[in-house]
Amino acid sequence: LHLIKKKETVLNPLIQSLSDVADSVKTCSICGNLDNTDPCRICSDPTRQAPIICVVQDVADVWALERSKTFKGVYHILGGTLSALDGIGPEDLRIDRLVKRVQEVQAQEVILATSATVEGQTTAHYIADCLADLDVQVTGLAHGIPVGGELDYLDDGTLNAALSARKSIGDDL
Ligand SMILES: [Zn+2]
């Protein structure tokens, strides 16, 4: 109702903005990110480390990782996860492109940052198998206790993962 009432000042400019976005957004031909340039700003940034590729499920995951400002490599967006239930197979994801890309840029490391769900981890294992014969280090994100998290509030799965992936305290100091 608010939009219709303010047709001239709100609704029409909004329609115009959405239409501009629809016209200008492109899918990056290298990583699958959404941007108004192709290659996207991350792929064309010479300060990023192209041999370190972080594999994620979705564009939203790229945004989340970029917010943390800690990752200086590049991304590869799969567009989902393997799921027998939903009929999503390897050919529906950008896995072939990833294998090709790893060879083309002679990647040093592929970080599998898929979700800590059954589908996410199945997808990560599948990709690790695809990359096994290539000369590249394949790593995964650590799972565990969030920064500022209290043990009391954590679910069993998170606590188990954190406990089994424990490391010597001196490692980071
Ligand atoms: Zn890109």
Side-chain angles (χ1 to χ4, degrees), residues 44-104:
S44 47
D45 181 347
T47 67
R48 309 284 301 215
Q49 297 168 290
I52 301 179
I53 302 173
C54 181
V55 177
V56 294
Q57 288 167 213
D58 199 72
V59 175
D61 302 326
V62 171
W63 293 354
L65 284 158
E66 284 298 287
R67 273 200 306 273
S68 77
K69 292 189 170 70
T70 45
F71 182 61
K72 300 295 175 218
V74 293
Y75 298 95
H76 191 89
I77 297 152
L78 295 172
T81 50
L82 296 174
S83 169
L85 228 56
D86 298 326
I88 300 174
E91 64 286 351
D92 299 312
L93 306 175
R94 303 175 74 248
I95 296 175
D96 284 356
R97 302 280 302 277
L98 173 67
V99 175
K100 246 188 230 147
R101 190 177 170 197
V102 165
Q103 291 168 303
E104 278 167 12

Side-chain angles (χ1 to χ4, degrees), residues 28 31 40 43:
C28 175
C31 72
C40 71
C43 288

